[in-house]
Amino acid sequence: MRTRRHRERLDDIPTTTTPKKRVRLRLEDPDHLTLLDAFSDPRLFAKFFKDPESWLAWTALIAAAFGLPMSADQLAIYRKCTGRTDPPVEQMRELVLVVGRRGGKSRVLALIATWLSAFVDYKPYLDPGERGVVQVLAADRDQAKIILRYVKAFFKLPMLAKLIERETQFGLDLTNSVAIEVTTASFRSVRGRTVVAALADEIAFWNDEGANPDAEVIKAIRPSMATIPNAMLLLASSPYARKGVLWDMHRQYHGKDDPRVLSWQAATEVMNPSIDPKWLTEQYERDPVSASAEYGAQFRTDVEAFIAAEAVDAVTSDERERPYIAGKRYYAFADPAGGSGKDSFTLAIGHVEDRIPTLDVIREFKPPFSPKAVIEQCADVLKQYGIRKCTADRYAAEFAVEGFREHQITLEHSLKPKSQIYSEFLPLLNSKTCDLLDHARLRTQLIGLERKTARSGKDSIDHGPGGHDDVANAVAGVLTGMGVRKYRYDVTMAWAGTIDAKTEQQSAAAQRLGALVQVQTMRGLLR
């Protein structure tokens, strides 16, 4: 029998060390693990929240959100921040978080998103091949990625990393049929998915541009959650004006013992006691009104919605543009822009129809664009409607004046500031004495206008933070610049009263006054 030879590798090094065993982290009782347990577990999230005392208020919120037992300190914070007495005993369906800036919202929202996606089993409610989605929504994807970065950091934990099936710049696909996605606040992007949780970050500052107001987005999300019994909707933001979904839900549910919806309101120093109190004091001294909203979590009383959606809808026709009608006099208003910033170059054209200012044309050119090319296109449209003189925003640059002059069109600066134009436009809307076009951006920009009261008591009207009003400004400018009076004097004096209701005979005083008015009108003293 031949001797078996052993071929020795050159890199074989004799060792007496026992081979290392792979350490697998296991939870003692995963079926009864709560988010608060995971929060304080050193194998899970404890290292991300190194000073537990500074996160006490957030643990109270988590306990309230998931119906978990509270300590005496947590219960006191819960009562202070919700206006309620008894803590919830079951998971909330919707959370409204009105929290000051730098309070820790993003990290806790990411924690909740991670918990719901990795530790909650949604398979009983999903069809084969269907994937449940945890949506993180913000005004733009860059802002939503702040929460996503926290989520990805949580999923680097050994216990959670094995759940990752695929990672993209916009989210994670997990092996348990759940995905975490970041998306912009658009009512279109949230449709067609089965949403197991939705986190709306800084919803008070969502941009209303493009017909995506916050109410429409939330309205589109709720049906996507209907088939998931334990789905959660979280609206989190520092507050702004007393309008929008955040304000409406806070007003409706704060202090109310609703079993499905919880409203939580807390200042920055309550949620994050580690913040420098001297720095906060400086912010309040610098601008107390702004600081009370930014850090005090109080909705601003100096900002209010200027135009109601119902008023806009009541005067909006189903026409998108009206053709030129011979014999009509047309007016135009432009809001020029340079093409390199964020503002659009807009033009609005209208005429008077039966004493009703009527909108005929809207043109909007979004940046980037060539000002010269845009002015040429606008000039062509103006000439089609027989317009040789156009009014422009009072701050229109000289390049616009010169550019239109090259096309034999005079561009005159408006004598009225924008706030005055909007103030004159509001009565036209409310009295239904104007006719608008069906234009989505016009509607959202009009609804997004805000009235702000300065310390001096003077009101100003403008778009909200991050918004635009280029289209609204041009439309309001043209409709208020047609010379139509808000009121017309009735020279018949029929309103002065009658003696006999059957014969409609006027009183003697009314007859004398009516005759006097008619004489003065014939002399040209009254019009």
Side-chain angles (χ1 to χ4, degrees):
M1 189 172 182
R2 306 178 84 182
T3 304
R4 174 178 287 181
R5 294 182 178 180
H6 172 68
R7 180 174 294 176
E8 187 174 356
R9 290 173 57 99
L10 294 177
D11 58 351
D12 282 350
I13 301 174
T15 178
T16 58
T17 306
T18 304
K20 291 184 178 180
K21 295 182 179 180
R22 180 176 294 178
V23 178
R24 302 192 66 178
L25 298 178
R26 292 184 179 274
L27 298 173
E28 285 73 11
D29 191 2
D31 292 335
H32 294 85
L33 182 75
T34 69
L35 179 50
L36 287 182
D37 295 331
F39 177 87
S40 58
D41 194 318
R43 296 167 298 175
L44 287 172
F45 304 119
K47 72 175 185 177
F48 297 98
F49 303 91
K50 296 181 179 179
D51 183 9
E53 288 299 318
S54 66
W55 295 94
L56 180 63
W58 284 110
T59 62
L61 169 70
I62 292 172
F66 292 92
L68 304 175
M70 297 185 188
S71 66
D73 291 338
Q74 290 172 335
L75 182 59
I77 294 174
Y78 164 80
R79 289 171 173 169
K80 176 182 178 181
C81 296
T82 65
R84 297 185 180 191
T85 302
D86 298 326
V89 294
E90 60 184 17
Q91 177 181 315
M92 290 288 111
R93 183 78 173 185
E94 298 184 2
L95 288 176
V96 183
L97 309 181
V98 184
V99 177
R101 293 185 67 181
R102 312 308 302 169
K105 292 189 298 294
S106 296
R107 195 182 306 187
V108 174
L109 286 179
L111 174 68
I112 294 175
T114 302
W115 170 261
L116 294 175
S117 60
F119 291 88
V120 179
D121 184 13
Y122 296 104
K123 287 184 179 179
Y125 315 114
L126 300 174
D127 292 331
E130 186 179 16
R131 188 176 288 274
V133 179
V134 175
Q135 285 191 329
V136 180
L137 302 101
D140 54 60
R141 276 183 169 169
D142 289 338
Q143 185 174 353
K145 284 181 180 178
I146 297 174
I147 294 179
L148 181 61
R149 283 195 288 269
Y150 281 119
V151 170
K152 289 184 175 181
F154 292 147
F155 270 93
K156 289 182 179 178
L157 292 169
M159 189 177 297
L160 301 182
K162 61 185 179 181
L163 288 175
I164 299 177
E165 183 178 276
R166 186 171 69 100
E167 180 177 345
T168 69
Q169 60 175 327
F170 299 123
L172 298 172
D173 287 349
L174 307 181
T175 57
N176 61 354
S177 299
V178 175
I180 303 173
E181 297 179 356
V182 297
T183 183
T184 56
S186 166
F187 70 88
R188 292 184 179 89
S189 65
V190 301
R191 293 177 180 271
R193 293 170 171 81
T194 300
V195 178
V196 299
L199 293 78
D201 189 28
E202 294 296 349
I203 189 174
F205 298 91
W206 282 6
N207 196 337
D208 283 352
E209 292 297 300
N212 286 317
D214 53 357
E216 294 297 325
V217 177
I218 300 304
K219 189 187 300 182
I221 289 176
R222 286 190 173 114
S224 302
M225 308 171 74
T227 57
I228 308 297
N230 54 345
M232 287 188 76
L233 173 63
L234 293 89
L235 313 180
S237 182
S238 52
Y240 184 58
R242 297 188 175 190
K243 64 174 186 175
V245 172
L246 188 74
W247 163 250
D248 290 341
M249 293 192 65
H250 169 76
R251 180 178 56 180
Q252 181 177 356
Y253 292 106
H254 194 74
K256 307 292 178 59
D257 289 321
D258 192 282
R260 294 167 58 86
V261 183
L262 175 69
S263 175
W264 184 284
Q265 184 178 29
T268 300
E269 62 269 22
V270 173
M271 305 307 293
N272 181 14
S274 64
I275 197 166
D276 185 359
K278 293 182 179 179
W279 183 85
L280 279 178
T281 301
E282 291 175 358
Q283 305 310 307
Y284 278 92
E285 291 175 349
R286 185 173 300 169
D287 189 342
V289 175
S290 176
S292 65
E294 294 277 277
Y295 308 105
Q298 300 298 314
F299 287 89
R300 296 184 66 150
T301 58
D302 63 325
V303 179
E304 61 180 9
F306 181 63
I307 293 176
E310 295 77 10
V312 178
D313 294 338
V315 296
T316 299
S317 70
D318 56 359
E319 296 181 89
R320 297 184 179 274
E321 187 164 309
R322 296 184 174 97
Y324 170 76
I325 302 175
K328 296 290 185 181
R329 179 184 176 184
Y330 288 88
Y331 302 81
F333 193 101
D335 188 355
S340 59
K342 296 183 179 181
D343 293 334
S344 297
F345 193 122
T346 57
L347 173 71
I349 297 175
H351 74 282
V352 179
E353 188 72 34
D354 296 330
R355 298 188 61 81
I356 300 294
T358 303
L359 183 62
D360 297 298
V361 176
I362 295 176
R363 290 287 187 273
E364 180 184 14
F365 304 88
K366 300 178 182 179
F369 56 78
S370 165
K372 184 176 181 180
V374 168
I375 290 174
E376 182 177 357
Q377 295 182 51
C378 290
D380 290 341
V381 176
L382 291 172
K383 291 176 181 178
Q384 292 174 18
Y385 285 79
I387 299 173
R388 293 292 178 177
K389 182 184 293 185
C390 177
T391 306
D393 182 90
R394 66 186 306 186
Y395 297 110
E398 189 63 27
F399 79 86
V401 178
E402 293 295 333
F404 278 101
R405 185 178 297 147
E406 293 178 3
H407 297 277
Q408 293 76 49
I409 292 177
T410 302
L411 192 69
E412 297 180 344
H413 289 86
S414 174
L415 299 177
K416 303 174 185 177
K418 183 164 59 175
S419 292
Q420 182 179 346
I421 291 175
Y422 285 140
S423 295
E424 295 179 3
F425 178 61
L426 183 62
L428 296 179
L429 280 178
N430 292 341
S431 62
K432 301 180 181 179
T433 52
C434 65
D435 193 356
L436 303 181
L437 294 172
D438 182 8
H439 193 280
R441 283 174 67 82
L442 171 62
R443 182 181 186 275
T444 54
Q445 287 187 8
L446 288 175
I447 296 172
L449 292 175
E450 298 176 348
R451 187 200 305 268
K452 300 179 182 179
T453 304
R455 296 181 184 179
S456 62
K458 184 178 180 180
D459 286 347
S460 64
I461 302 162
D462 207 343
H463 59 76
H468 294 276
D469 68 338
D470 313 300
V471 176
N473 187 28
V475 170
V478 71
L479 295 182
T480 58
M482 297 182 182
V484 178
R485 296 184 177 184
K486 299 186 183 75
Y487 311 101
R488 184 170 70 176
Y489 196 75
D490 185 359
V491 297
T492 65
M493 296 302 295
W495 51 268
T498 61
I499 297 176
D500 189 344
K502 294 182 179 180
T503 61
E504 297 294 329
Q505 182 180 0
Q506 292 180 335
S507 65
Q511 293 176 7
R512 288 195 297 271
L513 183 56
L516 176 61
V517 169
Q518 290 179 355
V519 170
Q520 298 296 336
T521 301
M522 293 176 62
R523 292 179 179 178
L525 298 178
L526 290 177
R527 290 183 292 176

